[in-house]
Amino acid sequence: MVKKCRIGTEEVETLWEEVRELSLGTSTEVERLNSPPSPLEFLRNFVAPNKPCIISNALDHWPALSLWSSDDYLCQALGSAEVSVHLTPNGRADSLSGSLVAYAQQQNDCFRTEYSVLGSDCDTHIDWASEALGCLPEAVNLWIGNNRSEASFHKDHYENLYAVVSGEKHFLLLPPTDVHRLYIRQYPAANYSYSQDTGEFNLEFDDPIRHVPWCSVNPYPPKGREEKEHNEFPLYFNGPKPFECTVKAGEMLYLPSMWFHYVKQSPRTIAVNYWYDMQFDIKYAYFNFLQSINPIA
């Protein structure tokens, strides 16, 4: 039987500080590499300590860097393909808050299935990462969106190599130890349905009702709600600043497993990401234990 533990907020805040001082550094900037690391360097310096980095000059040989800048090329290549596009009123396909915004973000290995005609434009895997991690990617996904397409704070149980081909992606990052700062709560699962007759979206809850855990914090509160958000989520807004980075075309972000990330992007952004299975080892057990702790003031 799993029981919730309670400790003081001060102890949890000390953990946030020590993780940064001992492992991640006190700067909120993500370390940058001018060239791809060797498999050993990648494993030792980033995967093992669960530390993100941005790699430049890792995609220079990809035809996609030049080809995907042209809408004509993509339309011709994908002209007969059926692809999935997420439609929402406000661009936040993972949020129940609620202009029609389209975001191609199907995941589920969509690049090797729905977008397979583009496969020769990119590497099938990242060779130095595959060697370091001892496996090939579990999934490769394509992302196409604009500046209205956002993803709220969430985490993935994958080692993530995120390559930006066109445009820019802006990330806010928090390590797994900061889990309590995001006020993860249970929310009802739902989907938007679009009526072609009225041109409106309706929010439809799952039947029977089920709930999913989700991060409550919006790091960019709407105008007029700043004070309310700061008062409701003080552990986030009064705690250490998130790590912050912009990944430009031709760059690749290594996003370690279980790191929380909030994502925004430029008006026309295309990216490919490679999900490698994480090791479900003591790191995973430690994170699960950390989630069970309920900090109190």
Side-chain angles (χ1 to χ4, degrees), residues 8-271:
T9 303
E10 288 186 4
E11 287 82 356
V12 175
E13 290 175 345
T14 299
L15 174 64
W16 303 337
E17 295 171 0
E18 289 184 345
V19 165
R20 285 163 170 77
E21 291 175 0
L22 299 176
S23 179
L24 302 174
T26 56
S27 172
T28 58
E29 294 184 2
V30 175
E31 183 173 347
R32 288 181 171 270
L33 307 179
N34 290 325
S35 60
S38 71
L40 179 59
E41 289 171 336
F42 180 57
L43 185 62
R44 180 181 58 199
N45 298 337
F46 300 101
V47 179
N50 201 233
K51 180 180 178 180
C53 66
I54 296 174
I55 304 106
S56 299
N57 302 308
L59 319 178
D60 293 352
H61 59 288
W62 284 19
L65 277 183
S66 58
L67 294 176
W68 293 7
S69 62
S70 167
D71 289 340
D72 291 339
Y73 172 79
L74 293 173
C75 289
Q76 183 175 358
L78 296 170
S80 60
E82 289 190 8
V83 300
S84 301
V85 177
H86 292 224
L87 301 177
T88 58
N90 53 17
R92 302 187 66 182
D94 56 7
S95 170
L96 300 188
S97 60
S99 87
L100 177 62
V101 180
Y103 191 12
Q105 54 152 24
Q106 179 64 9
Q107 304 173 54
N108 298 325
D109 204 28
C110 67
F111 187 63
R112 296 190 292 200
T113 53
E114 294 186 359
Y115 298 94
S116 60
V117 294
L118 300 176
S120 61
D121 295 343
C122 304
D123 287 342
T124 57
H125 68 111
I126 309 303
D127 54 2
W128 43 269
S130 298
E131 183 175 344
L133 299 169
C135 61
L136 293 173
E138 176 72 17
V140 183
N141 306 303
L142 181 71
W143 308 76
I144 305 176
N146 60 31
N147 57 310
R148 297 175 64 191
S149 307
E150 298 183 19
S152 58
F153 269 121
H154 65 286
K155 62 177 171 57
D156 301 306
H157 292 93
Y158 291 100
E159 307 294 351
N160 190 354
L161 276 299
Y162 201 102
V164 176
V165 177
S166 176
E168 298 180 353
K169 288 270 188 174
H170 183 71
F171 291 82
L172 295 181
L173 307 176
L174 287 174
T177 46
D178 287 28
V179 56
H180 300 107
R181 300 180 60 199
L182 294 172
Y183 296 85
I184 297 175
R185 299 169 180 169
Q186 296 292 323
Y187 292 91
N191 287 285
Y192 285 111
S193 65
Y194 178 69
S195 171
Q196 292 185 338
D197 294 332
T198 64
E200 296 180 350
F201 280 93
N202 295 308
L203 190 61
E204 297 182 350
F205 293 94
D206 285 7
D207 186 15
I209 292 290
R210 65 183 181 92
H211 290 79
V212 294
W214 206 254
C215 302
S216 304
V217 172
N218 178 0
Y220 305 104
K223 187 176 181 179
R225 288 183 54 87
E226 294 92 344
E227 184 176 355
K228 182 179 185 302
E229 297 277 325
H230 281 242
N231 291 335
E232 187 173 359
F233 308 119
L235 294 181
Y236 176 81
F237 289 104
N238 298 335
K241 295 292 185 183
F243 292 85
E244 192 167 356
C245 65
T246 296
V247 186
K248 299 182 179 182
E251 297 180 333
M252 177 181 292
L253 170 67
Y254 166 56
L255 181 58
S257 56
M258 299 189 297
W259 271 63
F260 293 94
H261 46 291
Y262 188 104
V263 190
K264 301 177 75 172
Q265 54 201 329
S266 61
R268 181 190 184 275
T269 301
I270 307 175

